[in-house]
Amino acid sequence: MSEGTWDYSSIWKDTLKQLKSEISPHEISMWLNDIHYLDSKEHELLLSISSNFHKYQIETRYLKRLEGIIHDLTGNTITLTFIINKADSARRDMEEFPQPKKTTFGSGQKKYSHSQLNPEYSFENFIIGKNNTFAANAAIAIAKNPGKAYNPCLIYGGVGLGKTHLAQSIGNYAASKHENMNIVYITAETFITEFINSIQSKSTNRFNNKYRSVDILLIDDIHDLQGKIETQEEVFHTFNALYENKKQLVFTCDRPVSELKNLSDRLKNRFERGLNVDLQPPDYETRFAILKKKIEAKSVVIPNEVIELICTNITSNVRDLESALLKLIAYSELVNKTISLEVAQQQLRDVFSSPKQSNINIEMIQRVVAEYFSLSRNDLKGKKRTKAIVFPRQLAMYITREITEYSTTEVGDDFGGRDHTTVMHACQKIENRMKTDPTLEPIVQNLIRLLKEYSTKS
Ligand code: ADP
Ligand code: MG
């Protein structure tokens, strides 16, 4: 303590006690137990914390309240300063996976094999960028301390952004460290199938035992549980059993849980209970680093200008980035040509011009179409059936189906909760009209162009 003048240690104790009385035991164990009093300075309380990630979470979730309590207790404004404890394991986690230089993870370690896990999906092979730092750090912390660090954890984000990679990395890491740990990775889809089979073969007990005795349960793509009421029930009970026994639960989902439909509230509540982290599309630098890493692993020679070309033109997700690379490599091997800028430009032309590359979503389409016809977004989503609204609405649905991957059900939902058959009908109408009305095609093309402009600006 500096000069023996200030000692806020007991104030910190009281502050923590107060905050703990206001939040759930779950939040306490997840966020507060690993913060320790370090020192006091004039109007400043120094605390140790395990990682940058943890610090950020505390600052965004509780800092205001903590400072408020201290103010109530002392009548003074005292700043809380969090110091990352270098000796702490979570910190070491990060240092163990240096990025992006080459490492030799796995060598010298005991070999393991796990039937559901692909060894390629490792933290070693995962490039951390701004878009995925939190998710990656959370995953690493979980892998290091299953059941203790962040439990449950839900990783969400669009297709091809690394959800499966991260979930499996947790499993792979834990499996490499703990021979006897029971780790189960399963997609929600397979879980559903297995569950139904177990009902049919009257072996639900065996099914229950299998899933309720694991140490780490990783369920991928839980959005597939939507509408599967009985399986949801099963997941709910499995969740409770494992959670009570402090077993680690990790889920992935293609959207925030709040946006899931036809999912029971109590299961939603369970998924949302722990840490929810999102994955965003990678920025240019991260895309570049990812491609470099993939190229390195394949031992092919690809000039930087080609990597730049791909990174500039493919912005949607890592999967698309990877498949462009694979396409190029396959071509060069088949025709025995080196990969030059010209070859890349020519071979990837179609991939680059795909509308998918512009990250267009339904909301953008509604905005652009509404503006084009001098309507509001609510007009398109609303119930009015005047001609001036119905046509733009159908057009917007048609364009959504043409240039995005949303299903008719999703499009219907986002257009004011309409049925998927309404969307199919709308698309049919527009297609029919295009056949007879030559002015329509240019309008559609014009709107798509506007959308591309809009999406690259935002
Ligand atoms: P999702 O499950 O979110 O659809 P995946 O985990 O299957 O996405 O990722 C798609 C592909 O992109 C995989 O081959 C994965 O290894 C790769 N990938 C995703 N994110 C990264 C990353 N940050 N670094 C390296 N590879 C990545
Ligand atoms: Mg996946």
Side-chain angles (χ1 to χ4, degrees):
M1 200 180 79
S2 38
E3 294 158 16
T5 325
W6 315 98
D7 185 354
Y8 297 133
S9 58
S10 63
I11 293 189
W12 172 246
K13 246 191 218 153
D14 293 342
T15 305
L16 209 51
K17 198 167 153 198
Q18 176 59 35
L19 181 65
K20 285 182 176 178
S21 73
E22 297 171 10
I23 62 179
S24 69
H26 168 78
E27 280 180 281
I28 296 173
S29 72
M30 186 141 89
W31 300 117
L32 299 183
N33 285 348
D34 274 340
I35 304 176
H36 303 288
Y37 172 83
L38 276 183
D39 202 352
S40 311
K41 288 184 181 169
E42 187 174 1
H43 301 306
E44 189 180 5
L45 220 165
L46 306 181
L47 299 159
S48 87
I49 197 158
S50 59
S51 63
N52 255 321
F53 173 70
H54 194 171
K55 178 173 171 221
Y56 176 84
Q57 297 293 332
I58 292 291
E59 286 175 350
T60 46
R61 285 164 194 259
Y62 306 115
L63 186 59
K64 267 213 181 96
R65 182 61 195 137
L66 285 169
E67 289 181 342
I69 297 171
I70 294 179
H71 192 267
D72 292 345
L73 290 173
T74 63
N76 285 324
T77 303
I78 294 169
T79 311
L80 293 182
T81 302
F82 293 99
I83 294 170
I84 316 259
N85 179 3
K86 288 218 162 82
D88 190 278
S89 61
R91 173 77 181 176
R92 270 185 279 122
D93 295 342
M94 290 307 300
E95 286 160 3
E96 199 174 314
F97 304 105
Q99 305 255 333
K101 76 175 200 290
K102 245 194 195 166
T103 52
T104 50
F105 181 83
S107 56
Q109 276 189 21
K110 203 185 285 170
K111 282 256 178 302
Y112 70 93
S113 71
H114 191 290
S115 59
Q116 302 130 10
L117 295 171
N118 173 354
E120 291 293 308
Y121 289 143
S122 65
F123 291 126
E124 280 297 278
N125 293 338
F126 193 83
I127 299 289
I128 299 183
K130 257 193 248 132
N131 60 309
N132 60 25
T133 312
F134 282 150
N137 286 2
I140 290 167
I142 289 167
K144 282 270 177 171
N145 276 308
K148 297 195 184 81
Y150 306 108
N151 196 27
C153 175
L154 180 117
I155 302 168
Y156 68 91
V159 52
L161 294 179
K163 301 184 294 293
T164 299
H165 190 137
L166 276 183
Q168 291 225 0
S169 299
I170 296 174
N172 274 318
Y173 185 86
S176 75
K177 294 284 175 193
H178 309 280
E179 211 179 330
N180 298 323
M181 202 172 252
N182 186 358
I183 300 164
V184 171
Y185 166 89
I186 189 166
T187 61
E189 202 182 356
T190 311
F191 191 92
I192 295 165
T193 312
E194 275 192 24
F195 179 58
I196 293 171
N197 289 345
S198 82
I199 296 175
Q200 280 164 357
S201 62
K202 300 195 169 48
S203 57
T204 44
N205 270 345
R206 202 165 66 220
F207 180 87
N208 285 346
N209 291 340
K210 175 176 167 192
Y211 286 101
R212 292 178 198 177
S213 61
V214 305
D215 298 304
I216 302 181
L217 179 61
L218 310 151
I219 305 188
D220 208 354
D221 295 333
I222 55 153
H223 46 268
D224 287 334
L225 294 171
Q226 291 177 106
K228 305 286 187 299
I229 294 164
E230 285 177 19
T231 315
Q232 285 175 25
E233 183 88 352
E234 184 59 27
V235 173
F236 177 77
H237 292 298
T238 306
F239 182 109
N240 289 345
L242 294 178
Y243 184 73
E244 268 165 35
N245 288 315
K246 302 205 166 22
K247 304 300 187 187
Q248 182 69 48
L249 294 142
V250 177
F251 306 100
T252 75
C253 188
D254 68 357
R255 67 202 86 171
V257 172
S258 59
E259 287 174 20
L260 290 173
K261 312 217 165 77
N262 303 319
L263 191 81
S264 74
D265 284 342
R266 58 183 197 167
L267 190 53
K268 259 191 198 174
N269 166 286
R270 292 301 185 282
F271 289 146
E272 282 181 324
R273 175 182 282 190
L275 181 65
N276 286 202
V277 284
D278 72 326
L279 288 167
Q280 293 290 332
D283 57 17
Y284 182 85
E285 282 74 22
T286 313
R287 295 201 292 278
F288 198 92
I290 291 173
L291 272 189
K292 275 274 192 197
K293 182 113 197 161
K294 304 269 174 204
I295 291 167
E296 214 177 86
K298 296 201 168 13
S299 324
V300 284
V301 181
I302 297 188
N304 271 355
E305 53 183 10
V306 170
I307 305 179
E308 281 162 16
L309 178 80
I310 300 177
C311 291
T312 309
N313 285 286
I314 297 190
T315 56
S316 49
N317 64 56
V318 184
R319 187 169 299 154
D320 290 347
L321 215 53
E322 236 181 335
S323 55
L325 178 70
L326 293 179
K327 186 172 175 191
L328 212 51
I329 294 174
Y331 174 81
S332 96
E333 279 171 2
L334 284 173
V335 302
N336 206 8
K337 262 191 187 172
T338 50
I339 300 172
S340 65
L341 190 60
E342 288 81 59
V343 167
Q345 266 162 343
Q346 189 202 359
Q347 284 307 308
L348 298 176
R349 199 185 314 132
D350 290 350
V351 181
F352 292 163
S353 63
S354 144
K356 234 178 94 190
Q357 288 317 321
S358 45
N359 294 322
I360 292 169
N361 61 36
I362 298 188
E363 186 192 323
M364 285 177 197
I365 297 175
Q366 289 171 339
R367 279 188 201 291
V368 169
V369 174
E371 194 174 317
Y372 190 89
F373 290 97
S374 306
L375 298 169
S376 73
R377 235 184 109 206
N378 281 340
D379 288 331
L380 297 183
K381 295 167 73 174
K383 296 264 174 282
K384 277 192 222 140
R385 297 208 36 87
T386 59
K387 216 171 153 193
I389 294 178
V390 170
F391 170 64
R393 184 185 290 143
Q394 289 178 336
L395 197 57
M397 288 179 184
Y398 170 80
I399 290 176
T400 308
R401 286 288 291 155
E402 282 294 297
I403 69 172
T404 71
E405 310 219 337
Y406 293 99
S407 67
T408 47
T409 307
E410 287 170 317
V411 177
D413 283 345
D414 283 359
F415 276 83
R418 290 180 155 80
D419 193 74
H420 74 109
T421 52
T422 310
V423 180
M424 284 159 60
H425 173 74
C427 295
Q428 196 58 54
K429 271 247 159 169
I430 297 293
E431 272 168 32
N432 290 344
R433 192 164 155 179
M434 267 189 178
K435 286 181 196 145
T436 55
D437 177 356
T439 62
L440 193 48
E441 174 78 30
I443 296 180
V444 170
Q445 290 313 322
N446 202 7
L447 280 166
I448 292 178
R449 192 183 45 76
L450 287 170
L451 269 162
K452 282 192 172 183
E453 274 172 27
Y454 184 93
S455 70
T456 47
K457 261 187 269 156
S458 56

